[in-house]
Amino acid sequence: GAVVSQHPSWVICKSGTSVKIECRSLDFQATTMFWYRQFPKQSLMLMATSNEGSKATYEQGVEKDKFLINHASLTLSTLTVTSAHPEDSSFYICSAPLAGGNTEAFFGQGTRLTVV
Amino acid sequence: AQSVTQPDIHITVSEGASLELRCNYSYGATPYLFWYVQSPGQGLQLLLKYFSGDTLVQGIKGFEAEFKRSQSSFNLRKPSVHWSDAAEYFCAVGATGGSYIPTFGRGTSLIVHP
């Protein structure tokens, strides 16, 4: 199956700093990528849909100035958590469906963000 | 809008016993259905999927699931559980037509006793 790689796997940062998470489709082109947030023992909550070459679409309640998404190429989307605070600590997961219609989405391995 | 219900938060089984994880969905048409497994601190791995055709689908690691339209269900089964199956299991539904964005259930945590 297709491979989605997420980097870093984990990161610890100080409160007030910004953190960038990368999501790459390694063997296919992804015009769309999805960013999820997962709290402990909970399901995945869709944060935003990243669209190559255009603005991301954010879900209701997600601060777009807080969670900056850039999808500059067909194989890379980035999520930047700006001015991170402890409440931003979470597990962030990206996914990408194969282009060309409805199909399954492939998931990255996730990034554990801890803000201290 | 589509939704997914996984009624069991935790399921505990003995190693070697059979397993069934429940999933009910709500969607106006025939949905795309998925089961994913997540080990601690890891991303999601697709176990199996249903798009159309045979309602009994086989997946990896010995898992299978059956789509029952009349019950709006897509329960996951395994005849004999291994200790390595202990993980979080997520059922998801994807809309047919338009942009693909899966909606996930809250997950079921599988605990396997030796």
Short mmCIF file of all heavy atoms in Angstrom, two decimals, chain A residues 6-15 17-22 35 79-81 84-86 88-92 109-116, chain B residues 41:
data_model
loop_
_atom_site.label_atom_id
_atom_site.label_comp_id
_atom_site.label_asym_id
_atom_site.label_seq_id
_atom_site.Cartn_x
_atom_site.Cartn_y
_atom_site.Cartn_z
N GLN A 6 5.40 10.73 8.55
CA GLN A 6 5.20 11.91 9.37
C GLN A 6 6.47 12.13 10.20
O GLN A 6 7.04 11.19 10.74
CB GLN A 6 4.00 11.70 10.28
CG GLN A 6 3.37 12.95 10.81
CD GLN A 6 2.05 12.67 11.50
OE1 GLN A 6 1.32 11.75 11.16
NE2 GLN A 6 1.75 13.47 12.51
N HIS A 7 6.85 13.41 10.31
CA HIS A 7 8.07 13.72 11.04
C HIS A 7 7.92 15.03 11.78
O HIS A 7 7.38 15.99 11.22
CB HIS A 7 9.25 13.82 10.05
CG HIS A 7 10.54 14.19 10.71
ND1 HIS A 7 11.34 13.29 11.37
CD2 HIS A 7 11.15 15.40 10.85
CE1 HIS A 7 12.39 13.91 11.86
NE2 HIS A 7 12.30 15.18 11.55
N PRO A 8 8.35 15.13 13.03
CA PRO A 8 8.98 14.06 13.82
C PRO A 8 7.95 13.13 14.44
O PRO A 8 6.77 13.40 14.41
CB PRO A 8 9.72 14.86 14.90
CG PRO A 8 8.85 16.06 15.12
CD PRO A 8 8.28 16.40 13.77
N SER A 9 8.42 12.06 15.03
CA SER A 9 7.52 11.14 15.73
C SER A 9 7.12 11.70 17.08
O SER A 9 6.03 11.43 17.58
CB SER A 9 8.19 9.78 15.92
OG SER A 9 8.47 9.19 14.67
N TRP A 10 8.03 12.43 17.66
CA TRP A 10 7.70 13.08 18.93
C TRP A 10 8.53 14.35 19.04
O TRP A 10 9.62 14.44 18.48
CB TRP A 10 7.95 12.16 20.12
CG TRP A 10 9.36 11.67 20.23
CD1 TRP A 10 9.90 10.56 19.68
CD2 TRP A 10 10.43 12.33 20.94
NE1 TRP A 10 11.23 10.47 19.99
CE2 TRP A 10 11.59 11.53 20.77
CE3 TRP A 10 10.51 13.50 21.69
CZ2 TRP A 10 12.81 11.89 21.33
CZ3 TRP A 10 11.75 13.85 22.26
CH2 TRP A 10 12.87 13.03 22.07
N VAL A 11 8.00 15.31 19.77
CA VAL A 11 8.71 16.56 19.97
C VAL A 11 8.27 17.16 21.29
O VAL A 11 7.09 17.10 21.66
CB VAL A 11 8.46 17.54 18.79
CG1 VAL A 11 6.97 17.81 18.60
CG2 VAL A 11 9.23 18.82 18.97
N ILE A 12 9.23 17.71 21.98
CA ILE A 12 8.99 18.45 23.22
C ILE A 12 9.44 19.88 22.99
O ILE A 12 10.55 20.12 22.51
CB ILE A 12 9.76 17.84 24.40
CG1 ILE A 12 9.37 16.37 24.60
CG2 ILE A 12 9.51 18.63 25.68
CD1 ILE A 12 10.20 15.65 25.65
N CYS A 13 8.58 20.83 23.30
CA CYS A 13 8.95 22.22 23.08
C CYS A 13 8.53 23.06 24.27
O CYS A 13 7.69 22.66 25.08
CB CYS A 13 8.32 22.77 21.80
SG CYS A 13 6.53 22.99 21.88
N LYS A 14 9.13 24.22 24.36
CA LYS A 14 8.79 25.15 25.43
C LYS A 14 7.54 25.94 25.07
O LYS A 14 7.28 26.23 23.89
CB LYS A 14 9.95 26.09 25.71
CG LYS A 14 11.18 25.42 26.33
CD LYS A 14 12.24 26.45 26.67
CE LYS A 14 13.44 25.80 27.35
NZ LYS A 14 14.48 26.80 27.70
N SER A 15 6.82 26.30 26.07
CA SER A 15 5.62 27.10 25.88
C SER A 15 5.97 28.41 25.19
O SER A 15 6.97 29.06 25.55
CB SER A 15 4.96 27.36 27.23
OG SER A 15 3.73 28.00 27.07
N THR A 17 6.82 28.70 21.97
CA THR A 17 7.54 28.44 20.73
C THR A 17 6.62 27.80 19.71
O THR A 17 5.50 27.40 20.02
CB THR A 17 8.76 27.54 20.97
OG1 THR A 17 8.30 26.27 21.46
CG2 THR A 17 9.70 28.16 21.99
N SER A 18 7.12 27.71 18.48
CA SER A 18 6.33 27.10 17.40
C SER A 18 6.95 25.78 16.98
O SER A 18 8.17 25.61 17.04
CB SER A 18 6.26 28.05 16.19
OG SER A 18 5.54 29.22 16.53
N VAL A 19 6.12 24.88 16.55
CA VAL A 19 6.57 23.55 16.16
C VAL A 19 5.98 23.20 14.79
O VAL A 19 4.78 23.40 14.57
CB VAL A 19 6.12 22.49 17.18
CG1 VAL A 19 6.45 21.09 16.69
CG2 VAL A 19 6.75 22.75 18.53
N LYS A 20 6.82 22.68 13.92
CA LYS A 20 6.36 22.27 12.59
C LYS A 20 6.37 20.76 12.47
O LYS A 20 7.36 20.11 12.81
CB LYS A 20 7.25 22.87 11.50
CG LYS A 20 6.82 22.47 10.08
CD LYS A 20 7.76 22.99 9.01
CE LYS A 20 7.61 24.47 8.79
NZ LYS A 20 8.41 24.93 7.63
N ILE A 21 5.28 20.23 11.97
CA ILE A 21 5.14 18.79 11.73
C ILE A 21 4.98 18.58 10.23
O ILE A 21 4.17 19.25 9.59
CB ILE A 21 3.93 18.21 12.49
CG1 ILE A 21 4.06 18.49 13.99
CG2 ILE A 21 3.81 16.72 12.23
CD1 ILE A 21 2.79 18.17 14.77
N GLU A 22 5.74 17.63 9.70
CA GLU A 22 5.69 17.36 8.27
C GLU A 22 4.95 16.06 7.98
O GLU A 22 5.08 15.09 8.72
CB GLU A 22 7.10 17.26 7.70
CG GLU A 22 7.88 18.55 7.73
CD GLU A 22 9.22 18.41 7.02
OE1 GLU A 22 9.63 17.27 6.73
OE2 GLU A 22 9.85 19.46 6.76
N TRP A 35 -5.46 16.50 8.54
CA TRP A 35 -4.78 16.58 9.82
C TRP A 35 -5.78 16.31 10.93
O TRP A 35 -6.85 16.92 10.99
CB TRP A 35 -4.15 17.96 10.02
CG TRP A 35 -2.93 18.15 9.17
CD1 TRP A 35 -2.84 18.76 7.95
CD2 TRP A 35 -1.60 17.70 9.48
NE1 TRP A 35 -1.55 18.72 7.49
CE2 TRP A 35 -0.76 18.08 8.41
CE3 TRP A 35 -1.02 17.03 10.57
CZ2 TRP A 35 0.61 17.81 8.38
CZ3 TRP A 35 0.32 16.76 10.53
CH2 TRP A 35 1.14 17.15 9.46
N LEU A 79 2.07 21.12 9.21
CA LEU A 79 1.23 21.71 10.24
C LEU A 79 2.15 22.41 11.23
O LEU A 79 3.04 21.76 11.79
CB LEU A 79 0.41 20.63 10.95
CG LEU A 79 -0.31 21.04 12.23
CD1 LEU A 79 -1.43 22.02 11.92
CD2 LEU A 79 -0.87 19.82 12.96
N THR A 80 1.97 23.69 11.41
CA THR A 80 2.77 24.44 12.37
C THR A 80 1.88 24.87 13.52
O THR A 80 0.89 25.58 13.30
CB THR A 80 3.42 25.67 11.71
OG1 THR A 80 4.26 25.25 10.63
CG2 THR A 80 4.27 26.42 12.73
N VAL A 81 2.24 24.43 14.71
CA VAL A 81 1.54 24.85 15.92
C VAL A 81 2.26 26.10 16.41
O VAL A 81 3.42 26.02 16.84
CB VAL A 81 1.54 23.75 16.98
CG1 VAL A 81 0.74 24.19 18.20
CG2 VAL A 81 0.98 22.45 16.41
N ALA A 84 2.94 27.64 20.96
CA ALA A 84 2.36 26.45 21.60
C ALA A 84 2.21 26.64 23.11
O ALA A 84 3.04 27.28 23.76
CB ALA A 84 3.23 25.24 21.30
N HIS A 85 1.16 26.05 23.64
CA HIS A 85 0.90 26.05 25.07
C HIS A 85 0.64 24.62 25.53
O HIS A 85 0.35 23.75 24.70
CB HIS A 85 -0.29 26.95 25.40
CG HIS A 85 -0.01 28.40 25.18
ND1 HIS A 85 0.72 29.16 26.09
CD2 HIS A 85 -0.32 29.24 24.16
CE1 HIS A 85 0.83 30.39 25.64
NE2 HIS A 85 0.22 30.47 24.47
N PRO A 86 0.73 24.37 26.81
CA PRO A 86 0.54 22.99 27.30
C PRO A 86 -0.76 22.34 26.82
O PRO A 86 -0.77 21.13 26.57
CB PRO A 86 0.58 23.16 28.81
CG PRO A 86 1.50 24.32 29.03
CD PRO A 86 1.19 25.27 27.89
N ASP A 88 -1.97 22.45 24.03
CA ASP A 88 -1.79 21.97 22.65
C ASP A 88 -1.12 20.61 22.61
O ASP A 88 -1.02 19.99 21.54
CB ASP A 88 -0.95 22.96 21.84
CG ASP A 88 -1.61 24.32 21.73
OD1 ASP A 88 -2.85 24.37 21.61
OD2 ASP A 88 -0.89 25.34 21.78
N SER A 89 -0.65 20.16 23.76
CA SER A 89 -0.03 18.83 23.82
C SER A 89 -1.05 17.78 23.40
O SER A 89 -2.17 17.74 23.91
CB SER A 89 0.45 18.54 25.24
OG SER A 89 1.43 19.48 25.64
N SER A 90 -0.65 16.97 22.47
CA SER A 90 -1.58 15.99 21.91
C SER A 90 -0.84 15.10 20.92
O SER A 90 0.36 15.25 20.70
CB SER A 90 -2.73 16.71 21.20
OG SER A 90 -3.78 15.81 20.89
N PHE A 91 -1.58 14.18 20.34
CA PHE A 91 -1.06 13.31 19.28
C PHE A 91 -1.67 13.81 17.97
O PHE A 91 -2.90 13.88 17.86
CB PHE A 91 -1.47 11.87 19.56
CG PHE A 91 -0.72 10.84 18.77
CD1 PHE A 91 0.66 10.74 18.85
CD2 PHE A 91 -1.40 9.94 17.97
CE1 PHE A 91 1.34 9.77 18.13
CE2 PHE A 91 -0.72 8.97 17.25
CZ PHE A 91 0.66 8.88 17.33
N TYR A 92 -0.83 14.18 17.03
CA TYR A 92 -1.30 14.72 15.76
C TYR A 92 -1.01 13.70 14.66
O TYR A 92 0.11 13.18 14.56
CB TYR A 92 -0.61 16.05 15.44
CG TYR A 92 -0.99 17.15 16.41
CD1 TYR A 92 -0.28 17.33 17.59
CD2 TYR A 92 -2.06 17.99 16.14
CE1 TYR A 92 -0.64 18.33 18.49
CE2 TYR A 92 -2.43 18.99 17.03
CZ TYR A 92 -1.71 19.15 18.20
OH TYR A 92 -2.07 20.13 19.09
N GLN A 109 2.47 7.94 10.94
CA GLN A 109 2.62 7.24 12.22
C GLN A 109 2.29 8.13 13.40
O GLN A 109 2.28 7.69 14.54
CB GLN A 109 4.05 6.68 12.37
CG GLN A 109 5.13 7.74 12.56
CD GLN A 109 5.69 8.23 11.25
OE1 GLN A 109 5.00 8.41 10.27
NE2 GLN A 109 7.01 8.46 11.24
N GLY A 110 2.03 9.42 13.14
CA GLY A 110 1.64 10.32 14.21
C GLY A 110 2.81 11.04 14.83
O GLY A 110 3.97 10.60 14.74
N THR A 111 2.51 12.18 15.44
CA THR A 111 3.52 12.99 16.15
C THR A 111 3.00 13.30 17.54
O THR A 111 1.92 13.87 17.69
CB THR A 111 3.79 14.31 15.41
OG1 THR A 111 4.33 14.04 14.12
CG2 THR A 111 4.77 15.18 16.20
N ARG A 112 3.77 12.91 18.52
CA ARG A 112 3.42 13.22 19.91
C ARG A 112 4.05 14.56 20.27
O ARG A 112 5.26 14.69 20.32
CB ARG A 112 3.94 12.13 20.84
CG ARG A 112 3.84 12.46 22.34
CD ARG A 112 2.41 12.45 22.81
NE ARG A 112 1.79 11.15 22.64
CZ ARG A 112 0.49 10.93 22.75
NH1 ARG A 112 -0.32 11.92 23.02
NH2 ARG A 112 0.01 9.72 22.58
N LEU A 113 3.21 15.57 20.49
CA LEU A 113 3.69 16.89 20.88
C LEU A 113 3.46 17.11 22.36
O LEU A 113 2.35 16.94 22.86
CB LEU A 113 2.95 17.97 20.09
CG LEU A 113 3.19 19.43 20.55
CD1 LEU A 113 4.65 19.83 20.39
CD2 LEU A 113 2.28 20.39 19.79
N THR A 114 4.53 17.46 23.04
CA THR A 114 4.45 17.80 24.45
C THR A 114 4.98 19.21 24.63
O THR A 114 6.12 19.50 24.26
CB THR A 114 5.26 16.83 25.32
OG1 THR A 114 4.78 15.50 25.10
CG2 THR A 114 5.13 17.18 26.79
N VAL A 115 4.15 20.08 25.17
CA VAL A 115 4.55 21.47 25.40
C VAL A 115 4.74 21.65 26.91
O VAL A 115 3.84 21.39 27.69
CB VAL A 115 3.49 22.45 24.88
CG1 VAL A 115 3.98 23.89 25.03
CG2 VAL A 115 3.16 22.15 23.42
N VAL A 116 5.95 22.10 27.27
CA VAL A 116 6.27 22.23 28.69
C VAL A 116 6.44 23.70 29.07
O VAL A 116 6.58 24.56 28.24
CB VAL A 116 7.53 21.43 29.05
CG1 VAL A 116 7.30 19.95 28.78
CG2 VAL A 116 8.73 21.94 28.27
N GLY B 41 0.86 4.93 20.78
CA GLY B 41 1.83 5.87 20.23
C GLY B 41 2.09 5.72 18.75
O GLY B 41 3.05 6.30 18.23
#
